[in-house]
Amino acid sequence: MSSKRPAILGGAPALIDPVPLTRPTQTVNTALLSTFSDIVKSGNLTKGDELAALERAVCEFLGVQNAIAVSSCTSGLMLTLCCLGLRGEIVLPSFTFMATGHAALWNGLTPVFADIDPDTFAVDPDRVAEALTPRTAAVFGAHTFGAPCDVGALAKLAAEGAVPLVLDAAPAFGGTYPGGAMIGTGGTVEVFSLSPTKPFTTGEGGIIATDDAALARELRIGREYGNAGGYDSAFAGLNARMPELSAALGRHNLPHLPELLERRGHLADRYRAGLADLAGVRFQRFDPSARPTYKDVGLRVSPEEFGIDRDTLASALRAEHIATRNYYDPPLHRQKAYRRFDTGSWSLPHTEELSRTAITVPLWSDMPEHLVDQICDVIRVIHEHAPEIADRIHLNEALA
Ligand SMILES: *Cc1c(COP(=O)(O)O)cnc(C)c1O
């Protein structure tokens, strides 16, 4: 039994400085600063050379024919579903970030939720197969927390239904599929986020990757209001352009990304080793020949085995000054924007269970190893005191 007393039971917090869930890691050097200065002085703040240079660099990095830089993953997904001309139903996971589903709703598509695999946290192809109907317009997968979903099985289903496979690859830029192919080369089209919580960030931004030249052409028009040039809009597009300063940030950071991802993998392994054999804590699983980006390190907490539930663990860690997130709780089908689509036929037991038990713990690319070790120690101490913490929580609830 450790001598430390959990802060939730009145002990001193393990960390004095609060530990955030994540923070962006940027390489700032004089080359970047002088590029920024050149851009600002030039007056070309958008639609310039930096955007084109970033798109070329990304095509090469991912090994794709077309990379379209946009203002966010959300706008990229909205435009992608729009430019694919989809009508009817779209099959997607409910255990994902809200923007996945929002892109479908903005396009007037009816969301049909398929359950996830409780080990990989990704949509289960067998459940997708059950959800397909003649009304299905597309299969929409997501690389949960930056680990690739089963793109082979999903692509097969999409091909059988003669519909596109769209992938929300938001957290997965730089990751690989089993066998080593880059994420970005899967499906009909993959859409990344470059927002500040992602391992590769341009402040805000997104990248659409596709080998479909016709789709890429439409997307470039779409990010420009739907105006192909003659001020006669072909369709209702968006302003979804990535500004030059953001593109420059991306271009300067891209060469450093593999090193950052390696470090993230190392830190995630350290979490895994630090919590190995701890009762009731299981990590998100994936094919060992894949390389996730670890946008998040996702754990499942079994209340019976661990002694307290996920929410109580989160409170106990907060008392130690350690931030966590209950991603994704509530899942999409429980959010107000989606409830009106419930026909009573959704069966999502694994999504329900995982949304109650999943927690993500702190990770950023230059996080010191000793912080991971401290967080693992604290989780062990909390587990050792689980019965006492559970009693305290029950008492507080009784008094409330
Ligand atoms: C971050 C994220 C998004 C949203 O990306 P933005 O660039 O902020 O629009 C969408 N889907 C998933 C799965 C994400 O993790």
Side-chain angles (χ1 to χ4, degrees):
M1 179 76 68
S2 164
S3 59
K4 168 162 166 47
R5 195 156 169 76
I8 197 170
L9 294 175
L15 282 304
I16 294 170
D17 294 326
V19 181
L21 189 67
T22 190
R23 41 182 293 185
T25 302
Q26 297 279 353
T27 304
V28 182
N29 53 26
T30 51
L32 176 64
L33 297 179
S34 94
T35 303
F36 279 172
S37 154
D38 291 347
I39 291 168
V40 175
K41 284 185 202 149
S42 77
N44 297 324
L45 299 180
T46 191
K47 300 199 279 185
D49 296 343
E50 284 297 332
L51 180 72
L54 175 66
E55 289 182 342
R56 276 194 305 273
V58 166
C59 280
E60 192 168 323
F61 184 82
L62 298 179
V64 296
Q65 299 290 322
N66 306 281
I68 299 103
V70 287
S71 55
S72 70
C73 177
T74 306
S75 65
L77 288 170
M78 287 164 62
L79 284 175
T80 296
L81 301 183
C82 169
C83 291
L84 286 168
L86 307 179
R87 299 280 177 280
E89 298 176 355
I90 188 161
V91 179
L92 75 165
S94 168
F95 190 80
T96 182
F97 186 63
M98 56 179 70
T100 319
H102 291 3
L105 265 52
W106 272 89
N107 279 280
L109 292 160
T110 303
V112 176
F113 293 116
D115 207 4
I116 46 160
D117 177 316
D119 291 323
T120 66
F121 300 9
V123 74
D124 182 340
D126 291 339
R127 302 288 84 76
V128 171
E130 291 166 2
L132 295 174
T133 73
R135 295 177 301 279
T136 305
V139 174
F140 196 2
H143 303 312
T144 312
F145 300 163
C149 62
D150 187 349
V151 78
L154 294 180
K156 192 159 169 287
L157 290 170
E160 282 165 13
V163 297
L165 170 60
V166 179
L167 294 158
D168 179 345
F173 193 96
T176 68
Y177 285 112
M182 293 300 288
I183 295 176
T185 59
T188 310
V189 53
E190 302 212 45
V191 185
F192 298 99
S193 170
L194 310 184
S195 79
T197 64
K198 317 295 183 191
F200 176 51
T201 179
T202 53
E204 297 287 357
I207 297 279
I208 310 173
T210 182
D211 283 342
D212 182 331
L215 174 61
R217 222 168 13 251
E218 288 295 296
L219 287 165
R220 289 184 191 285
I221 297 169
R223 77 171 164 189
E224 191 70 32
Y225 317 101
N227 174 19
Y231 199 73
D232 179 10
S233 52
F235 59 96
L238 299 171
N239 173 357
R241 297 184 298 252
M242 177 185 285
E244 287 291 278
L245 289 168
S246 288
L249 204 50
R251 194 169 63 76
H252 279 259
N253 273 298
L254 188 57
H256 301 283
L257 183 64
E259 195 185 312
L260 299 190
L261 293 178
E262 195 160 318
R263 201 161 154 79
R264 299 176 81 89
H266 171 75
L267 293 167
D269 288 346
R270 207 169 175 93
Y271 266 118
R272 222 173 266 116
L275 297 176
D277 315 324
L278 183 58
V281 173
R282 268 185 291 276
F283 284 78
Q284 179 186 15
R285 290 227 311 258
F286 51 86
D287 187 310
S289 73
R291 190 182 64 195
T293 59
Y294 293 107
K295 186 264 170 186
D296 290 293
V297 174
L299 310 175
R300 271 162 78 192
V301 179
S302 156
E304 295 77 23
E305 293 170 63
F306 189 69
I308 53 174
D309 63 16
R310 184 271 316 269
D311 290 341
T312 309
L313 173 60
S315 302
L317 287 171
R318 200 177 316 120
E320 309 285 357
H321 298 164
I322 298 166
T324 62
R325 279 302 280 269
N326 293 346
Y327 275 145
Y328 294 108
D329 185 20
L332 264 52
H333 74 282
R334 292 201 168 278
Q335 296 183 21
K336 284 190 206 75
Y338 293 85
R339 278 189 226 134
R340 69 190 164 95
F341 295 101
D342 187 0
T343 57
S345 65
W346 291 340
S347 169
L348 303 161
H350 294 306
T351 299
E352 299 283 358
E353 200 265 346
L354 195 61
S355 66
R356 278 194 304 270
T357 58
I359 187 167
T360 66
V361 292
L363 185 85
W364 60 95
S365 299
D366 56 2
M367 181 178 182
E369 288 178 351
H370 72 83
L371 270 184
V372 173
D373 298 343
Q374 277 177 290
I375 292 168
C376 291
D377 288 346
V378 167
I379 292 174
R380 288 183 172 279
V381 167
I382 290 168
H383 171 63
E384 285 162 11
H385 291 78
E388 204 183 332
I389 294 171
D391 284 348
R392 175 75 62 97
I393 297 281
H394 289 145
L395 185 65
N396 286 349
E397 278 170 4
L399 291 174

